[in-house]
Amino acid sequence: MGTGRNEQVVLTEVPSLGGLYVRAAAGAAGRALPGALAQRLPGRRRGSGGAPGDLPAVAHVVEGVVAEAARHEAFCRTVGAPLREGPDGTEAFSGYLHALAFPVAMSVLTRPDFPLPVLGMVHLANEVEHRGAVAVGEDLTVTASAERLRPHRAGAQVDVVARLAREDGEPVWTGRSTYLAKGVRVPGTVDDAPRGEFVPPAPTGQWRLPARTGRDYAAASGDWNPIHLSGPSARALGMKGTIAHGMYSASRALAGIAVPSETPFRWAVEFAAPVPLPGTVAVAVDDEGRGEAWRRSRCTGWDPGRGRPHFTVTAERLDG
């Protein structure tokens, strides 16, 4: 995972997610919703003479980004993650580091020359390498860029890569998020391997999620995407109703597995179907080893009534 080949655009501060969503909405103004929004992909890149579907070949960079103690604690409380103390102070939870980097990633998605509609995008998957403990209060540099625009059976998908590095340039956290723009068509062949039949495992727990879950996570993470806030705002963007943030589910699942403190590890999440709000999620956690003997874990979440999968989170120790 990397962004080194892109031209760097240095931002003076972390952008406001609220302002970025306003920018995204302004970019969609004048088009019918949700149909025209979902189907819009210009034949040429907006604001340039690029080929169809070109992604901006830039990386946005913000220096001096800090995981603030109060915000980190609020996030951990919202997703049920424990506060862990390391030799350099409280260790930042890996799910929170995604939230810390997300506004910089969103600033790439809302550029005038970004070819996909941002509002209504569906979160498909994440892959994260968490290579070193990050202390709350530590200065970090955040870098984000977009890669691999390609077709999906339901539209077009794109990866957004975010990296957190220390002041000496050492990367400590790298995340690749994959998003789907429904109804958008781009050239290429769809890699559409059939999913195996889902057989729910024996549950080890259950989440009961009230209607306010999306708003609670938005307040903790800063991600005020309208599809997570209310029924009317979600339906305006083509959803059947309010759905939980994907990273709420991923972070809550990650909080419940057995990764020891300070352990370098890799984790990933695949989203199969959105979690409606309010709703109930059955979960099953399977850990291989505990404490320093931990090797890998899996957390699966599904609809206990219909037996339909929502997400799978996997994590494994990084050796070397």
Side-chain angles (χ1 to χ4, degrees):
M1 304 181 196
T3 56
R5 291 177 294 176
N6 292 320
E7 173 190 353
Q8 291 196 339
V9 175
V10 179
L11 308 181
T12 57
E13 60 184 1
V14 176
S16 160
L17 274 175
L20 294 175
Y21 280 120
V22 169
R23 182 194 299 177
R31 289 181 292 272
L33 293 176
L37 177 62
Q39 295 173 4
R40 181 186 59 80
L41 177 63
R44 304 178 72 82
R45 205 174 69 190
R46 285 179 289 161
S48 79
D54 280 357
L55 293 173
V58 298
H60 286 195
V61 181
V62 182
E63 299 174 342
V65 180
V66 174
E68 298 177 1
R71 291 179 179 272
H72 176 258
E73 184 175 348
F75 184 95
C76 290
R77 184 169 57 249
T78 300
V79 302
L83 294 177
R84 292 177 166 175
E85 295 300 318
D88 298 318
T90 303
E91 292 181 10
F93 175 59
S94 197
Y96 177 75
L97 294 178
H98 171 90
L100 191 67
F102 184 63
V104 184
M106 268 292 290
S107 73
V108 175
L109 293 175
T110 56
R111 287 174 56 92
D113 56 355
F114 189 77
L116 300 177
V118 175
L119 292 181
M121 268 189 174
V122 177
H123 197 169
L124 296 179
N126 276 75
E127 298 176 5
V128 172
E129 289 189 358
H130 190 131
R131 292 198 163 272
V134 175
V136 170
E138 180 178 359
D139 276 0
L140 299 167
T141 295
V142 180
T143 305
S145 64
E147 300 179 358
R148 300 183 63 222
L149 178 62
R150 59 203 186 276
H152 182 278
R153 64 184 181 278
Q157 57 187 325
V158 66
D159 292 351
V160 180
V161 179
R163 183 180 65 184
L164 304 181
R166 302 191 195 282
E167 289 182 301
D168 61 4
E170 177 192 359
V172 289
W173 188 98
T174 303
R176 179 181 294 272
S177 302
T178 302
Y179 298 100
L180 166 67
K182 288 185 176 181
V184 175
R185 303 301 172 195
V186 295
T189 302
V190 176
D191 182 9
D192 195 13
R195 291 181 181 269
E197 181 184 358
F198 176 72
V199 178
T204 60
Q206 192 173 81
W207 303 346
R208 296 189 182 276
L209 305 180
R212 69 171 189 276
T213 300
R215 296 187 294 275
D216 289 347
Y217 183 80
S221 67
D223 183 359
W224 293 93
N225 188 327
I227 65 175
H228 307 301
L229 304 182
S230 71
S233 62
R235 287 189 289 272
L237 293 171
M239 302 296 167
K240 294 180 180 179
T242 318
I243 60 174
H245 293 74
M247 288 308 297
Y248 169 83
S249 298
S251 295
R252 184 163 175 176
L254 185 64
I257 63 179
V259 182
S261 179
E262 298 186 79
T263 300
F265 67 105
R266 176 187 295 111
W267 64 275
V269 56
E270 292 187 4
F271 300 107
V275 175
L277 296 175
T280 300
V281 179
V283 294
V285 178
D286 181 13
D287 292 321
E288 183 180 321
R290 304 290 295 185
E292 293 305 311
W294 176 79
R295 299 304 304 171
R296 60 184 58 85
S297 296
R298 176 188 296 266
C299 179
T300 305
W302 68 96
D303 180 332
R306 302 173 61 186
R308 185 172 71 165
H310 288 307
F311 59 83
T312 301
V313 174
T314 56
E316 61 181 357
R317 183 186 294 269
L318 278 175
D319 294 319

